[in-house]
Amino acid sequence: MIYKKKSFFDTGFCGIAVKKNLTNFHDLSNFRFEKMRVYLFVLWVTAVSCAQLGKISLKDVVLTDGVGTEKTLTSGQKLSKVVELDSSHDLKLSFKVLSDNKAASVHQAFVIFVNDKSKKEVAFVIEQDAKTESYVFDLSMKTHGKEFGGEPGVYSAHLILGDAKVEPLDWVFAQFNVKVEAVAPKTLPVSQQIHYQPRKEIKHLFREPEARPPAFFGHVFALVCAAPLLLLLISWLVIGINFGKLPFSVWILGFHGGIIGIFGLYTCFWLHLNMFETLYYLVPISVVTFISGHRLFRTLAAQK
């Protein structure tokens, strides 16, 4: 296995070496050739961008109007008469592009009709014939008349040619009186219409709160919920509490302190704490209560 050595052609655009395992000398040569092509392409782009832009000229510019009359145009000059153009007419424009007296191609070729009043633009792309190397623009008003959007009037026709290597060309070669059927503007739905005016103030009428039961029922319900705890306290007072068999240890304090802390935390939750704050404090108290209770009951079971 042959490893490619680091050289000028083996570095990236930022000077970082490209590591690649090559199996034979043929792969090594191909890799260097591809890198050479990349650098030559970069040099070519730089040279083109820095070079002076060339100029183009037009040859054999022929305009065929709606009635079939052919007119030879001179580059840079506009027809003196306005050409009529309606739905029954076809328009054709053909020409050749020359650069240094040789047939050339450009990247962009358009014919743009600009309404003299509304300045509305209607653009059409011109394609080049590969055999004759001529650009041919063929407009059928019967087919493409809808592109004018139902807006008749006098339109100025611009021939626009552009390329990265030549100076752009914008030539108004004629004016056309376009006659198309007017189209009524579409009415947008009310939800899509935009009116830049203040709207009426929206006044909300909230429903009146329903009548609540008297406070007496709330107090009775609270007493019913607290009845088990009250019965426990009353039974302790009647029967009595025997602390004699309760061993004294730290687990007793932890368990009973945890129970009291949990009830106190529930009281705080009822008064001002939210659920997340209550859970935040409940976790450590529950852990201490669980461990202390487990040790306490295990001690009581061992004494029996």
Side-chain angles (χ1 to χ4, degrees), residues 255 292-302:
F255 176 70
S292 301
H294 180 268
R295 292 297 184 95
L296 174 61
F297 288 114
R298 190 173 67 175
T299 303
L300 293 177

Side-chain angles (χ1 to χ4, degrees), residues 252-270 273 277-289:
I252 296 177
L253 298 177
F255 176 70
H256 290 86
I259 295 296
I260 296 173
I262 291 175
F263 280 105
L265 184 61
Y266 285 163
T267 304
C268 295
F269 171 67
W270 179 265
L273 292 180
E277 293 175 344
T278 304
L279 292 176
Y280 178 78
Y281 295 113
L282 181 61
V283 170
I285 298 176
S286 300
V287 172
V288 174
T289 305

Side-chain angles (χ1 to χ4, degrees), residues 19-57:
K19 297 181 180 180
K20 183 177 180 181
N21 296 336
L22 303 175
T23 56
N24 50 46
F25 181 77
H26 180 70
D27 292 340
L28 178 62
S29 301
N30 289 340
F31 184 76
R32 289 184 174 178
F33 178 71
E34 292 297 329
K35 298 296 290 184
M36 175 67 77
R37 290 179 59 185
V38 172
Y39 281 101
L40 290 178
F41 176 75
V42 173
L43 292 176
W44 176 80
V45 172
T46 305
V48 169
S49 60
C50 296
Q52 185 177 3
L53 297 178
K55 294 184 179 181
I56 57 176
S57 59

Side-chain angles (χ1 to χ4, degrees), residues 163-212:
D163 195 275
K165 299 179 291 184
V166 298
E167 294 182 359
L169 174 67
D170 185 358
W171 171 32
V172 181
F173 60 90
Q175 283 186 315
F176 297 91
N177 185 18
V178 179
K179 298 179 180 179
V180 292
E181 295 182 0
V183 179
K186 296 182 180 180
T187 303
L188 293 176
V190 179
S191 59
Q192 298 181 7
Q193 295 180 5
I194 300 176
H195 300 283
Y196 296 99
Q197 296 177 356
R199 295 189 175 184
K200 295 182 179 180
E201 182 181 359
I202 300 176
K203 296 182 179 180
H204 296 279
L205 180 61
F206 296 96
R207 186 178 61 180
E208 296 182 0
E210 298 179 357
R212 302 180 63 181

